[in-house]
Amino acid sequence: MTISETHTHVPRLPLGEDTRYEGQRFSGRRCQVIGVLDDGAASLSAAALAQLRAADCVIGAARTLALFEAEIAPGARRHEIGSALSQVPLWVREAQAQGQRCVVLATGDPLCFGIASYLAARLCIDALEVLPNLSTIQLACARLGLPWQDLKFCSVHSRDAGEWQPGADASHGLYALLQTLRQQERVAVLTSPENSADRIARMLLAEGLGEAFQIAVAESLCQPGERVRAELSVAEVAELRFAPLHVMLLLRLQPRPRPVLFGLADEIFEQRQPEKGLLTKREVRAVSLARLQLRANSIVWDIGAGSGSVGLEAARLCPEGHVYAIEKNSEDAAIIERNRRSLGLSNHSSQQGRAPEGLEAWPAPDAVFIGGSGGELVELIERVFSRLKPQGWLVMNFVTLENLATAVAALKAVGASWDVLQLQASRSKPILHMHRLAAENPVWVVCAQRGTAA
């Protein structure tokens, strides 16, 4: 089967004035995207080597071009990718417009976190032919005798992400990897010189995962200095330094936890003692979370977070999203962070502060929970409705008539559609050899969306 038959899901995008792309289907000479390894020509099939030797235009990283210099025709144009990735489709298009043979050199399998998918999204798929090689992950597993069909593949082969800071959000380059490590048993990572195995190990230590994984690192594969180190601890890897080109394999030492999905007991959460801090009780928390209408990728704001119970449970329900929490009390803010770590969450960020200060830096929310307002309720409601996404929900909890009245008036002023639910739970308590019901404080749950109240 041809590439176009097996990858028809890749979009065909307009290519400008090039008449060789008729109806956005290519009718000229295809660009060869060739996977290579660091042992040079020995890694190529006869067909791939013949394509490279016949090429009029060769595109690749400086290191790769140098490795294959002896196989490139003296008169062929060479384009070094470097930081000019966006230029590669233009170079390919220019060569094809002139009827030239064009080759792009890529490491391993160009369709495994490689340049082939990037080019396919910017050129019609018929303009490319991919000649894959072994991926470096396959090679690393082969050196270790490790089956790889159930590995989760990840890549941090991008810009320098910097050292991990607990509570960082999706803007950090290691965020997605940490989320994956929380959820998977066996992970393979394509690293970079900056986002290296030791940096990843330090992230695991910072997140309390130092005992969770055993690590193997394969360095300089197919080069004279090749080295494979296995059965390393996270702490060992954090102190080592590795060759610029290496692959990392992380295997869980014990199965990952599979906690209760919803309705965590109040006792799970640390609270301020001896004077208890604010905690949304399980019954009210369950209803509030249900009314937030969360999805797997929801962005959630938790304002006046108290001990963090609502936002932390929301983060567990939104594994592809993120929760941003703010709490004015310094002791409670520290408790939120300890609760986050004990629950093993990476998609939750908290800060100490008095809302609405700092909210402008947060991404627009799909759902907002207000558990405490610090006397700024009207401004908070106005701020939320200026940022809330369409179909998003605002849910608020109140225990005083005054705050309930203020909230309803503010919602009317912003033209929201709203409703109020009163909850009062009673829990059984022992009395002698029998049980009685002890009432919890009644709570008003106020839910609102954009629109006009009926």
Side-chain angles (χ1 to χ4, degrees):
M1 299 179 74
T2 67
I3 286 290
S4 60
E5 291 172 320
T6 57
H7 293 81
T8 54
H9 63 282
V10 178
R12 295 186 171 95
L13 302 181
L15 298 173
E17 301 301 321
D18 191 344
T19 57
R20 302 180 67 83
Y21 296 85
E22 297 172 0
Q24 298 183 25
R25 291 192 62 86
F26 183 67
S27 60
R29 191 188 299 276
R30 284 182 166 187
C31 170
Q32 310 295 316
V33 184
I34 300 176
V36 303
L37 297 174
D38 282 337
D39 53 352
S43 69
L44 298 184
S45 66
L49 193 56
Q51 293 283 2
L52 175 59
R53 288 170 174 168
D56 303 301
C57 174
V58 181
I59 302 166
R63 187 181 64 84
T64 307
L65 292 174
L67 182 64
F68 286 91
E69 179 59 35
E71 309 301 332
I72 301 174
R77 290 202 315 280
R78 295 154 174 80
H79 289 294
E80 179 184 331
I81 297 177
S83 60
L85 180 62
S86 61
Q87 296 297 306
V88 176
L90 301 179
W91 293 333
V92 171
R93 194 178 301 161
E94 178 184 343
Q96 291 175 329
Q98 297 173 13
Q100 296 180 336
R101 297 179 175 87
C102 182
V103 164
V104 176
L105 300 177
T107 300
D109 184 347
L111 287 167
C112 180
F113 294 103
I115 197 172
S117 58
Y118 176 85
L119 291 177
R122 289 156 179 81
L123 304 168
C124 69
I125 192 64
D126 306 301
L128 304 175
E129 181 176 3
V130 180
L131 303 177
N133 213 314
L134 294 173
S135 74
T136 51
I137 292 173
Q138 286 177 276
L139 285 173
C141 289
R143 301 292 193 265
L144 293 161
L146 181 70
W148 58 273
Q149 68 268 13
D150 60 346
L151 283 173
K152 174 66 176 178
F153 289 10
C154 293
S155 175
V156 291
H157 200 276
S158 57
R159 61 180 178 82
D160 187 348
E163 289 290 321
W164 175 257
Q165 300 298 322
D169 64 11
S171 62
H172 195 286
L174 298 182
Y175 178 88
L177 173 60
L178 180 57
Q179 289 288 83
T180 298
L181 290 170
R182 294 270 193 201
Q183 300 167 21
Q184 300 292 329
E185 306 288 342
R186 294 151 54 89
V187 180
V189 185
L190 296 169
T191 65
S192 69
E194 296 82 18
N195 301 327
S196 52
D198 53 297
R199 174 177 282 178
I200 294 167
R202 289 192 292 275
M203 175 180 70
L204 293 174
L205 291 175
E207 289 291 329
L209 295 171
E211 304 298 323
F213 292 93
Q214 185 178 87
I215 295 174
V217 181
E219 304 172 75
S220 303
L221 289 167
C222 297
Q223 297 183 48
E226 178 180 307
R227 177 168 61 170
V228 179
R229 288 185 271 187
E231 298 183 359
L232 299 171
S233 70
V234 174
E236 287 176 317
V237 174
E239 297 297 325
L240 295 173
R241 296 296 178 268
F242 300 94
L245 302 177
H246 62 279
V247 176
M248 184 181 191
L249 305 176
L250 299 101
L251 312 177
R252 277 195 175 267
L253 293 173
Q254 49 192 341
R256 61 188 173 88
R258 297 183 183 276
V260 170
L261 292 177
F262 181 70
L264 296 178
D266 296 342
E267 294 73 25
I268 292 289
F269 301 98
E270 178 185 345
Q271 298 178 66
R272 193 166 8 117
Q273 300 291 348
E275 178 192 355
K276 285 192 174 183
L278 295 174
L279 178 76
T280 302
K281 299 296 180 62
R282 173 161 51 181
E283 295 82 4
V284 177
R285 187 183 343 124
V287 172
S288 297
L289 288 166
R291 292 302 306 269
L292 285 169
Q293 295 290 280
L294 301 174
R295 294 175 171 81
N297 63 347
S298 290
I299 299 298
V300 182
W301 291 5
D302 182 9
I303 299 172
S307 300
S309 62
V310 173
L312 290 165
E313 192 157 354
R316 300 169 80 251
L317 298 171
C318 305
E320 300 167 24
H322 197 91
V323 176
Y324 296 84
I326 187 168
E327 168 54 43
K328 67 178 181 179
N329 182 280
S330 60
E331 292 180 66
D332 284 335
I335 286 172
I336 292 172
E337 179 59 19
R338 292 198 292 272
N339 282 331
R340 182 192 72 80
R341 288 175 64 90
S342 70
L343 291 171
L345 295 170
S346 301
N347 61 332
H348 183 285
S349 303
S350 63
Q351 66 187 63
Q352 182 190 350
R354 190 181 187 91
E357 295 177 7
L359 302 189
E360 66 278 355
W362 293 356
D366 299 286
V368 178
F369 177 76
I370 297 179
S373 61
E376 306 293 340
L377 184 55
V378 173
E379 184 177 354
L380 283 174
I381 290 173
E382 292 172 348
R383 185 72 61 90
V384 165
F385 274 91
S386 72
R387 300 285 307 283
L388 189 64
K389 292 181 183 177
Q391 308 305 314
W393 281 93
L394 166 64
V395 175
M396 299 175 281
N397 288 177
F398 301 113
V399 296
T400 69
L401 289 166
E402 289 78 8
N403 278 340
L404 174 62
T406 299
V408 169
L411 291 172
K412 290 179 178 178
V414 297
S417 175
W418 56 272
D419 65 88
V420 179
L421 170 69
Q422 184 193 58
L423 295 177
Q424 183 175 16
S426 295
R427 297 180 176 183
S428 62
K429 300 281 186 181
I431 177 171
L432 299 177
H433 62 285
M434 298 175 286
H435 291 78
R436 67 181 178 88
L437 287 177
E440 299 287 336
N441 288 330
V443 177
W444 286 283
V445 180
V446 181
C447 308
Q449 277 189 308
R450 295 180 187 277
T452 302

